[in-house]
Amino acid sequence: MYLNFGDLGLKVKEELVDDYTTKTANNQKIESMDDIKRFVEQYSDYKRLGGHVTRHVTLMSELSRLVSKKQLLEVSEIEQNIANSSDHSNQLQWVKNAISLGASGPPDPSRKQPCIEHLEQLKLALLYALRYEGHSSNDVSSIRSLLEQKGHSKETISLLDGIIRYAGKQSRSAELFAKTSIISTITNIRKGFAGVENIYTQHKPFLKTVLEQIFANKLKESEYPWAGNTSNQEFQDVIVFVVGGATFEESCLVHEFNKQNVRTRVLLGGTKIHNSASFIEDVLDFYRLAR
């Protein structure tokens, strides 16, 4: 349930296909979702192990196709670099190139060529604006112009201002971004399976820092006020409730945290579960009211 796309693809290969090839001494080379699909179609004995296998492989093949069509791995690479390192010149160019080469209109099912869609263009633009707020070479204006050229609405483009109003330096009490300035030191986690590369998983939600501080009894009271006496108190059960909404990534983080810390238990809740589209819509609603 909590596996990301890359790990799920590896699970299909390693636990289903590799197991069968070992049992049958079959040495067929399998490196991609297409290879797995052909394998399942070719070996009727394997298909008899259960129809769920074929359905699972078909689903993964379709996900892989969509990831490739929308160039989500390329987008993820840029997002992860911006979130985890400070390299303004290169990252600005990557964002501008991604928008320039992206789609010039809303999603079109008939479009054949891989293309970065409007939503991903906007996400890159907002991440850049938030990361480099106040930077001496900030160039949000050129990104704004590129979004206009690609057909984004004026209201959508106004989110470049809205995201700063919502989550800029004046609206948050802690630093969201890693401060390292050497991209070459970032570990690119590649697990060698074509079509579902689990690249760039180094970003961790800020919630990870909060949980570690809670259980180390080092959470700043100025940022998270306490009720009652908490000096030297050890916590075993913690409920985290996020007003405005938690994310799937935070849910995964809490799951992994509970697995690794068996003496403690964290329960995550929120007013909703966000994906990027719903979060952007909430920021837009906020900015409409705030202006």
Side-chain angles (χ1 to χ4, degrees), residues 251-263:
S251 176
C252 182
L253 170 73
V254 168
H255 171 73
E256 292 298 324
F257 190 92
N258 286 333
K259 281 176 58 178
Q260 296 168 11
N261 300 274
V262 294
R263 296 184 179 180

Side-chain angles (χ1 to χ4, degrees), residues 154-188:
K154 289 184 178 180
E155 186 173 53
T156 297
I157 296 172
S158 73
L159 279 168
L160 289 169
D161 302 314
I163 195 67
I164 301 301
R165 185 75 175 271
Y166 181 87
K169 293 178 179 179
Q170 298 300 315
S171 301
R172 62 179 192 259
S173 59
E175 181 53 60
L176 293 177
F177 299 101
K179 296 182 179 180
T180 178
S181 61
I182 307 175
I183 291 183
S184 59
T185 63
I186 296 176
T187 301
N188 301 337

Side-chain angles (χ1 to χ4, degrees), residues 119 123 245-249 272-282:
L119 177 60
K123 285 160 58 178
T247 67
F248 290 103
E249 188 178 13
K272 67 171 68 173
I273 295 293
H274 270 307
N275 58 26
S276 55
S278 64
F279 173 74
I280 287 173
E281 188 59 39
D282 273 9

Side-chain angles (χ1 to χ4, degrees), residues 223-256:
E223 297 177 5
Y224 301 92
W226 298 96
N229 181 18
T230 60
S231 60
N232 299 320
Q233 182 174 342
E234 292 187 2
F235 299 96
Q236 290 183 320
D237 296 285
V238 171
I239 298 174
V240 178
F241 191 89
V242 185
V243 176
T247 67
F248 290 103
E249 188 178 13
E250 289 168 338
S251 176
C252 182
L253 170 73
V254 168
H255 171 73
E256 292 298 324

Side-chain angles (χ1 to χ4, degrees), residues 78 82 88-102 116 121 124-125 128 139-147 149-150:
I78 300 172
I82 294 176
H88 178 266
S89 179
N90 282 324
Q91 290 169 1
L92 172 61
Q93 196 58 49
W94 295 339
V95 171
K96 291 169 69 174
N97 287 345
I99 297 174
S100 297
L101 298 175
I116 297 175
Q121 294 173 27
L124 289 173
Y128 169 85
D139 195 11
V140 167
S141 60
S142 67
I143 291 177
R144 193 186 304 269
S145 297
L146 285 173
L147 293 176
Q149 294 171 24
K150 288 297 177 179

